[in-house]
Amino acid sequence: MEFTEADEGSSVFDADRKKIGVVTEVRGGDAYVEPDPSLAEELKAKLDWGSHEADDEAFALDSDSVDERDDGEILLRNRPLD
């Protein structure tokens, strides 16, 4: 699966449906997730305002980890490692 700009602003949930972050940037088919973004950052991504460059805390999301992708939400197959 390849991510697209339409995925920017999507909330990312682990297998327990706990929100772990928001897709802040899609580059070259790869989605970058910022854990616990500020409300302002989350709104900018959802509304396509301003720059969408991932910051230093963002991590690349492995598309093989995705169970479902629908309606602005991405559900992962597993829980993140503690």
Side-chain angles (χ1 to χ4, degrees):
M1 158 193 337
E2 190 168 291
F3 294 100
T4 67
E5 286 185 15
D7 293 309
E8 289 180 353
S10 293
S11 296
V12 180
F13 297 88
D14 69 10
D16 291 330
R17 302 291 279 166
K18 179 182 174 202
K19 186 174 179 179
I20 60 170
V22 172
V23 176
T24 56
E25 180 182 10
V26 174
R27 183 176 357 122
D30 296 326
Y32 293 87
V33 177
E34 185 169 333
D36 301 321
S38 71
L39 180 58
E41 291 168 327
E42 189 169 347
L43 283 173
K44 282 175 32 178
K46 286 185 185 288
L47 299 174
D48 195 26
W49 289 350
S51 171
H52 296 291
E53 291 184 19
D55 66 14
D56 294 338
E57 294 179 9
F59 60 91
L61 181 59
D62 181 5
S63 63
D64 291 337
S65 299
V66 175
D67 187 35
E68 295 177 33
R69 183 171 77 172
D70 190 33
D71 260 354
E73 293 185 354
I74 297 173
L75 178 63
L76 303 181
R77 296 182 194 285
N78 302 314
R79 292 167 199 83
L81 298 175
D82 292 327

